[in-house]
Amino acid sequence: MQAANNPLAVAFFFVFMALTLGVTYWAARRTRTTEQFFAAGGQITAWQNGWALAGDFLSAAALLGIAGIITSNGFDGLIYSIGFLVGWPIIAFLIVEPLRNLGKFTFADVVAYRLKQRPVRVAAAFGTLVVILLYLLAQMVATGALIKLLFGLPYAASVVVVGAAMLVYVIFGGMLATTWVQVIKAVLLLLGGLVLALLVLAHFEMNPLTLFQAAAEKHGERVLQPGSKVAGSGWDAISLGVGLMFGTAALPHILMRVFTVPDVREARMSILYATGIIGSFHLLVFVIGFGAMMLVGPEVVAKAGGGGNMAAPLLALTIGGDAFFGFICAVAFATMLAVVAGLTLSGVATVCHDLWVNVVRNGEAPEREQLTVARIATVAIAALAIFLGIVFEGQNVAFMAGLAFAVAAAANFPALLLSIAWKRFTTAGAVASILVGTVSSLVMICLSPTIQVDVLGKSLAEVSQAWWFVPMKNPALICMPLSFAAAVAASLLTRDEAADRAFLPMQRRIMFGARGPSSL
């Protein structure tokens, strides 16, 4: 099934590129300050931000990765859809208000609010950049595979093309361009997913149950049963769920979108809109995955390469022809480019705002200097993302994104929660929590089958005999409690009087915002 050099597909691709470049040009003319660059001046409405949040969150893992996992494994792939979705109530009810009332651009603003700025921001930047690079890696792998399928380019060249496009959107347009690219992408993604799912159901009497039953008859009842093919053992499945749930509530590029709306109410409403959009799309992906299983076949998807990531585009080619294939490819590219831009912007905010302004320059950097540093950081992050995308060719993107969620759950969530809720939390506790969560996650991933077998190509039988081998693929269940334990131990062993005194004023600011009652 040859898709390369498909004229209609290429035409759709360039139409989307022209549209988003026009948006970037429009946004670039309105981006003059760091607040406009990082938070769109706080002028995005809840409805717009809800679509942008959905666009930011519905990454290559949603359209390509999860569809590919379901195509290969059936019902087991649903663990990713559920895990991704259940973190949103945590954001809405626990995270939004403190973040919006205490922060400025990044989650480190909240963690460092009543603690010593330099050590906390350096540690938070380290954890944040690791999460962003892991998530970027997943998007670059999928986008490279898609461009390779679409144009017939070598994989490495495809990844470079994606990195170059990302640079244009972020350097010139900032958050305003990124927001509107994400809104456009979310609308197209939901529309494309709906049409694709309806075309699948048209082959099965417009009844999902008929589709599932046909899949069971052709591939065995296992495709409708929970099992261990996706997550491994029961503990691994629990660990994956924990990572996806709490990682969602601590993803830097998602939390950053809280600052693009005028107030807390608008932020909560945007979370509500985003949750509905994301939940609806994941239902469509379930139908798309089973549709690819039946109408394309797991073997054909596997032969296309990319760790099963091409299931949805190949399904579109099979049931909709060249034109629909082109549309789905353009939507998939929009999906990944929007997420890559959002991730890069979050990483740039971390480097510029947390490290350069608040650590190197002690909060005194001029606007022009900050924007210059931000654009230099964009180039550096893009170059690193391109390199990692080339190295990790062929990995399933939902799985790779799951690792980013696991690190976010261990590195960011404990420090974020304790800084808000525990008076006794100290600077040493915050630094210990972030570093232990990040480092332990990376070590466990490196010693697990994820790196040893899938990337380095060693046999499972060989590495499983080593004393250092970690059989669990997802580290969140171990590393997140370790992070909490490190935070509690370090806080109890140290004392931070200034942090204690600042706790009640911080709680009042969380409740009332910057414009609280004058008596406070």
Side-chain angles (χ1 to χ4, degrees):
M1 190 173 292
Q2 182 56 256
N5 301 317
N6 182 314
L8 280 171
V10 173
F12 274 112
F13 173 86
F14 281 112
V15 166
F16 171 76
M17 286 295 294
L19 175 63
T20 52
L21 285 172
V23 169
T24 303
Y25 175 75
W26 167 78
R29 299 181 64 185
R30 290 159 175 79
T31 301
R32 295 290 181 266
T33 68
T34 52
E35 186 178 7
Q36 291 167 341
F37 187 84
F38 291 127
Q43 297 303 309
I44 304 298
T45 68
W47 177 245
Q48 293 164 348
N49 200 45
W51 280 97
L53 271 166
D56 218 349
F57 187 77
L58 289 172
S59 65
L63 177 62
L64 303 183
I66 297 177
I69 288 176
I70 293 172
T71 299
S72 302
N73 304 289
F75 183 87
D76 264 13
L78 194 61
I79 188 172
Y80 277 94
S81 294
I82 295 173
F84 284 141
L85 191 60
V86 295
W88 287 89
I90 298 175
I91 301 175
F93 296 109
L94 185 65
I95 303 297
V96 162
E97 191 164 11
L99 200 68
R100 190 64 183 77
N101 285 338
L102 296 178
K104 187 176 182 182
F105 299 134
T106 67
F107 104 99
D109 290 333
V110 178
V111 179
Y113 184 80
R114 62 189 179 94
L115 305 176
K116 294 181 176 65
Q117 296 286 312
R118 285 194 172 189
V120 172
R121 288 189 183 276
V122 170
F126 173 63
T128 296
L129 289 173
V130 168
V131 172
I132 288 169
L133 286 172
L134 276 173
Y135 211 159
L136 264 177
L137 166 60
Q139 310 309 310
M140 298 298 283
V141 167
T143 317
L146 182 69
I147 298 298
K148 177 183 177 182
L149 178 70
L150 188 58
F151 290 100
L153 292 174
Y155 173 80
S158 302
V159 173
V160 172
V161 168
V162 177
M166 170 185 74
L167 277 173
V168 172
Y169 292 128
V170 176
I171 286 180
F172 295 106
M175 179 58 86
L176 187 59
T178 301
T179 294
W180 283 105
V181 169
Q182 286 160 347
V183 170
I184 294 167
K185 159 266 176 107
V187 173
L188 290 175
L189 185 62
L190 201 60
L191 177 62
L194 178 61
V195 173
L196 188 54
L198 289 175
L199 288 175
V200 167
L201 292 177
H203 289 75
F204 299 94
E205 303 172 359
M206 299 306 292
N207 188 344
L209 297 180
T210 304
L211 167 63
F212 301 149
Q213 185 58 44
E217 291 172 1
K218 185 174 181 178
H219 297 282
E221 290 291 333
R222 68 163 188 86
V223 300
L224 299 183
Q225 299 168 353
S228 59
K229 293 197 69 177
V230 172
S233 67
W235 286 112
D236 218 349
I238 294 171
S239 187
L240 175 60
V242 167
L244 295 177
M245 179 170 64
F246 292 103
T248 298
L251 285 176
H253 68 298
I254 297 298
L255 298 181
M256 191 174 172
R257 294 219 62 89
V258 170
F259 304 114
T260 64
V261 291
D263 53 43
V264 171
R265 182 184 178 280
E266 293 286 290
R268 282 211 178 97
M269 288 302 297
S270 62
I271 297 291
L272 179 63
Y273 294 139
T275 304
I277 296 166
I278 293 164
S280 301
F281 182 76
H282 277 299
L283 291 176
L284 299 175
V285 169
F286 202 52
V287 173
I288 292 168
F290 272 96
M293 181 191 294
M294 289 299 298
L295 302 175
V296 180
E299 299 81 11
V300 175
V301 172
K303 286 179 183 176
N309 298 323
M310 294 299 104
L314 290 176
L315 175 63
L317 184 62
T318 300
I319 64 178
D322 289 349
F324 193 52
F325 169 76
F327 176 72
I328 290 297
C329 281
V331 169
F333 181 76
T335 294
M336 291 173 279
L337 198 57
V339 175
V340 162
L343 285 165
T344 304
L345 196 59
S346 180
V348 170
T350 297
V351 173
C352 177
H353 176 67
D354 292 332
L355 292 181
W356 183 262
V357 175
N358 287 289
V359 174
V360 177
R361 301 284 280 161
N362 294 315
E364 298 298 327
E367 288 278 347
R368 183 179 295 273
E369 179 181 292
Q370 292 182 50
L371 288 172
T372 300
V373 171
R375 284 162 177 151
I376 293 172
T378 303
V379 175
I381 291 172
L384 188 54
I386 290 169
F387 170 75
L388 291 174
I390 293 171
V391 170
F392 282 82
E393 177 183 2
Q395 299 300 308
N396 180 274
V397 290
F399 174 69
M400 297 299 294
L403 297 181
F405 280 69
V407 177
N412 294 349
F413 185 77
L416 187 60
L417 178 64
L418 292 175
S419 66
I420 297 167
W422 191 29
K423 180 181 179 181
R424 190 69 176 76
F425 195 50
T426 65
T427 299
V431 172
S433 173
I434 295 168
L435 294 183
V436 168
T438 305
V439 173
S440 63
S441 297
L442 292 176
V443 169
M444 283 192 64
I445 290 170
C446 288
L447 301 183
S448 74
T450 302
I451 298 296
Q452 298 298 319
V453 177
D454 297 341
V455 176
L456 299 180
K458 299 179 181 179
S459 71
L460 183 60
E462 173 192 350
V463 296
S464 61
Q465 303 301 317
W467 63 268
W468 46 260
F469 179 67
V470 178
M472 186 178 288
K473 284 189 171 185
N474 194 288
L477 190 62
I478 294 174
C479 298
M480 189 172 160
L482 273 179
S483 179
F484 272 113
V488 172
S491 294
L492 293 177
L493 289 172
T494 57
R495 194 74 191 180
D496 197 334
E497 298 290 347
D500 285 354
R501 289 193 302 270
F503 184 74
L504 282 179
M506 183 189 76
Q507 293 298 310
R508 290 168 181 158
R509 184 176 177 116
I510 288 173
M511 293 175 62
F512 297 104
R515 298 179 181 177
S518 58
S519 59
L520 297 179

